[in-house]
Amino acid sequence: MERYGRASRLKILVFLISFVASACKGERSAPPPAAQSPKSASSAVATPKPPEPAEGAKAQEEKSTEFEIDGDANTYVGPAPLPVEFTMTETNAKGPVKYEWDFGDGSPRATGKDQKHTYDKPGTFVVRVVATDSSGAFDHMNFLLTVLSEAEWKEFAKRVGAAEEEGASETSPAPSPEASSE
């Protein structure tokens, strides 16, 4: 998926979720209009935006010293077997940080900051990582992954290719009269 930017990956993920959901119902439908972040399973449900904090709260928020983790995966969608690499970063950690991973597929849990895991069977998986620093502060993060069968992957790739071609024709300028006369 390296050839796609983050925004394209989000659109692909939303399309894929719609595709898989409709396949479960035995029908095919268009993707939902708004893209959701693939990073968190809880973000798959649209939630209203919270109100803006007051100026004092905003300044306090910017100077936060809470322990936090963030991470990414090299892919969120693909055919089985799907090898996935997870990378993590932490902010405001006190001392060493311990990570515990649940890959959501019934495999044994793992420990360590960055992980590689292969998903052998199709399905939708919620990956959960919990990090704890030496002071006992902790944070967690979820990843949502979709692993497709070979047939689903081929259908998905066909639909994404058609959608990209359609998008390219909408954004491509019309040929100039000089170009068409040559």
Side-chain angles (χ1 to χ4, degrees):
M1 294 207 108
E2 286 298 317
R3 70 184 193 134
Y4 300 112
R6 187 165 181 83
S8 293
R9 289 190 340 218
L10 291 174
K11 289 177 185 174
I12 290 170
L13 181 61
V14 169
F15 176 82
L16 178 65
I17 291 169
S18 172
F19 173 76
V20 171
S22 66
C24 292
K25 295 177 187 172
E27 59 185 64
R28 303 286 191 244
S29 62
Q36 300 292 328
S37 170
K39 179 171 133 176
S40 171
S42 63
S43 66
V45 176
T47 56
K49 185 177 178 182
E52 288 292 321
E55 285 302 313
K58 198 179 276 189
Q60 184 180 10
E61 186 179 291
E62 291 172 5
K63 297 178 184 178
S64 174
T65 58
E66 285 187 31
F67 171 62
E68 295 178 334
I69 60 171
D70 193 18
D72 201 3
N74 66 327
T75 188
Y76 292 89
V77 179
L82 181 66
V84 182
E85 295 180 21
F86 301 95
T87 55
M88 301 300 296
T89 59
E90 64 269 337
T91 306
N92 301 319
K94 293 179 177 67
V97 177
K98 294 180 182 179
Y99 288 84
E100 185 174 337
W101 293 82
D102 180 347
F103 297 106
D105 62 352
S107 64
R109 291 179 180 233
T111 58
K113 182 175 181 175
D114 298 331
Q115 292 291 316
K116 294 179 182 178
H117 186 75
T118 299
Y119 291 84
D120 295 319
K121 296 180 181 176
T124 300
F125 303 97
V126 177
V127 180
R128 182 173 176 90
V129 58
V130 178
T132 308
D133 73 6
S134 60
S135 75
F138 67 93
D139 194 11
H140 73 278
M141 182 174 175
N142 295 333
F143 297 86
L144 179 63
L145 304 177
T146 303
V147 181
L148 302 172
S149 68
E150 188 174 332
E152 290 171 325
W153 180 248
K154 286 179 182 178
E155 177 68 19
F156 172 68
K158 195 175 2 175
R159 287 180 174 224
V160 169
E164 285 183 344
E165 288 174 16
E166 196 174 288
S169 65
E170 291 173 5
T171 58
S172 300
S176 65
E178 296 86 32
S180 60
S181 64
E182 291 178 7

